[in-house]
Amino acid sequence: MRVLFVVPPLAGHVNPTLAVAAELTARGHQVAWTGPAASLAPLLPAGARLYSAGDRGAADGHDVLHRRWRDLRGVAALRFLWEEALIPLAHAMLPGVHAAVEAFTPDVLVADQQALAGPLVARRCGLPWVTSATTSAEFTRPFGGFPKVGEWVARRIADLLADCGTSADWDPRFSPHLVLVFSTPELVGAGAEKWGSHYAFVGPAVGPRPPAADFPWRRLDPGRARVLVSLGTLNREAGARFYPAVLRAAAALADRAQLILAAPGDFARDLPPNVLHQEYVPQLRLLPHLDAVLCHGGHNTVCEALAYGLPLVVAPVRDDQPIVARQVTEAGAGVRVRFGRARTDELQQALEAVLDDPVHRRAARRIQASFAAAGGATAAADRLEKLPLGPGTDPTGTDPRTASEKGS
């Protein structure tokens, strides 16, 4: 089987495909990726087959978009995501994805939910396609309390389909063939069971990553609880107000906790002695040595922490992060705090709660067990191998629900 992964230039959306691709390769299948090559190349293993799609001015364009996006919140951030990022990226990637299909001749496309060019090309070429859902936000009625927002997103998708000359009776975010959800019902919560049998909740797919920077392992303090503080790769520059509050909370916990702060150097001044600062950390290697994680609610970071049974303090910034934070708190696996108006006492109390209250650790371990049972990359590869391919596959099959119903 030949599998083409269609991905946006975002580490959190690429990382799960690395694990699935490694499992497929070990089984003798061939894999390749397509997307903005300048941004994707550093995220992929050495020697990975990569076809460029959407690279026109990508290096400068993505930097400019990120600077404009990072200070937005709420609906403004969502509008920007669709109008300035996802829809333009879909148009920019279409020619390259077409070329990748012609060059690689895949049997199936695996398209990230934010790489909308993948499903569009798959339908044009009569190929089956699979959704890679690298966040579970879409499966929890994200716009349930804001129906007009859901309708607005549905209109943006319908406009894209019309611009690309296809009918509006399908949603490129949800494959009718197979949807790989890198989470489990234990974290997603109520409503996960409503999705059909072709929605596979496989749990996080954790696999090989490009080599990480060195880490001062000897500086980890075995006599204190260890907590990672991370705002992920995209939000780390947005923490000008947040990091100082974290450092003050760390100082208040100096006798019992060590914080490992992954943040830009400009935000790591006047560090308390119990704070270990690094620009970047080898997160997967570090997690087994920790007791808790304080993060922005990014789906990858949350799921990786829970895969090690670690309770969380979540300070969501934007996009799907409030939804993921709600999943964590409703599951009992952590505490939510404010990001924009973070208070030292609030952060201190939240950290004490996840370190001291066994309820949070028990909930985190329950989700950890669900992740292990779900199978991760192995289960995803199993489902891909069972996918009907070739003649008889219906490349235009649709889910009977509309885009607005799925996003409500």
Side-chain angles (χ1 to χ4, degrees):
M1 181 169 62
R2 299 170 69 85
V3 182
L4 179 64
F5 292 94
V6 187
V7 292
L10 301 168
H13 295 252
V14 175
N15 287 342
T17 71
L18 303 181
V20 178
E23 178 68 23
L24 290 171
T25 301
R27 300 183 185 193
H29 304 295
Q30 297 185 52
V31 301
W33 284 264
T34 183
S39 299
L40 292 180
L43 304 176
L44 299 179
R49 187 177 297 183
L50 172 60
Y51 297 92
S52 176
D55 263 300
R56 294 174 305 191
D60 292 338
H62 295 154
D63 289 343
V64 171
L65 282 175
H66 181 249
R67 286 195 297 270
R68 292 172 55 198
W69 164 83
R70 67 187 181 193
D71 293 324
L72 298 175
R73 303 287 185 271
V75 174
L78 179 72
R79 291 181 65 92
F80 185 90
L81 176 68
W82 281 96
E83 291 182 334
E84 304 293 335
L86 299 187
I87 299 298
L89 180 65
H91 286 295
M93 285 180 62
L94 277 171
V97 177
H98 267 292
V101 167
E102 292 180 358
F104 184 61
T105 61
D107 298 299
V108 59
L109 270 66
V110 178
D112 186 271
Q113 279 190 313
Q114 294 190 358
L116 304 175
L120 286 163
V121 172
R123 281 175 59 103
R124 287 181 183 177
C125 296
L127 288 169
W129 57 283
V130 172
T131 296
S132 173
T134 51
T135 174
S136 56
E138 295 283 0
F139 308 100
T140 57
R141 296 177 57 83
F143 308 124
F146 308 94
K148 291 189 180 300
V149 176
E151 293 168 5
W152 180 86
V153 171
R155 287 197 300 272
R156 300 290 77 73
I157 293 172
D159 291 344
L160 170 67
L161 299 179
D163 289 344
C164 295
T166 184
S167 62
D169 60 350
W170 66 293
D171 189 332
R173 297 173 299 172
F174 301 92
S175 168
H177 309 290
L178 175 63
V179 178
L180 296 175
V181 186
F182 294 104
S183 185
T184 60
E186 285 75 10
L187 178 57
V188 174
E193 69 280 354
K194 76 175 182 178
W195 301 90
S197 61
H198 68 291
Y199 287 79
F201 288 80
V202 299
V206 180
R209 303 276 174 84
D214 291 336
F215 184 81
W217 297 100
R218 292 184 179 180
R219 293 181 60 191
L220 289 179
D221 186 346
R224 289 183 281 194
R226 295 180 291 272
V227 180
L228 173 65
V229 179
S230 171
L231 296 182
T233 55
L234 292 178
N235 294 283
R236 50 193 277 116
E237 303 286 349
R241 296 183 179 180
F242 186 74
Y243 294 124
V246 170
L247 295 179
R248 291 191 296 270
L253 296 169
D255 61 337
R256 56 166 308 183
Q258 180 186 39
L259 272 62
I260 298 92
L261 176 66
D266 289 345
F267 300 121
R269 297 169 180 167
D270 301 320
L271 297 178
N274 63 321
V275 174
L276 169 57
H277 169 255
Q278 294 288 110
E279 285 270 354
Y280 296 95
V281 298
Q283 185 163 295
L284 287 178
R285 292 173 57 202
L286 183 60
L287 287 170
H289 303 277
L290 302 177
D291 296 282
V293 172
L294 190 166
C295 71
H296 59 306
H299 195 261
N300 261 23
T301 300
V302 164
C303 287
E304 288 173 3
L306 291 172
Y308 285 92
L310 300 177
L312 294 131
V313 175
V314 281
V317 183
R318 61 170 72 81
D319 299 336
D320 66 325
Q321 296 156 19
I323 299 170
V324 175
R326 185 181 70 215
Q327 292 177 9
V328 170
T329 57
E330 290 182 351
V335 177
R336 177 173 176 169
V337 296
R338 293 174 294 183
F339 176 79
R341 293 177 291 169
R343 295 197 326 261
T344 300
D345 61 335
E346 181 184 21
L347 288 165
Q348 179 184 346
Q349 291 166 12
L351 287 168
E352 289 173 337
V354 298
L355 292 174
D356 295 341
D357 189 341
V359 169
H360 299 302
R361 192 166 301 278
R362 284 198 296 266
R365 288 176 175 168
R366 175 175 54 82
I367 297 170
Q368 177 189 28
S370 79
F371 285 175
T378 300
D382 289 344
R383 292 298 296 259
L384 284 167
E385 287 183 329
K386 295 174 183 177
L387 194 68
L389 303 175
T393 299
D394 175 15
T396 60
T398 59
D399 191 306
R401 286 167 301 162
T402 66
S404 59
E405 288 174 328
K406 292 170 182 174
S408 65

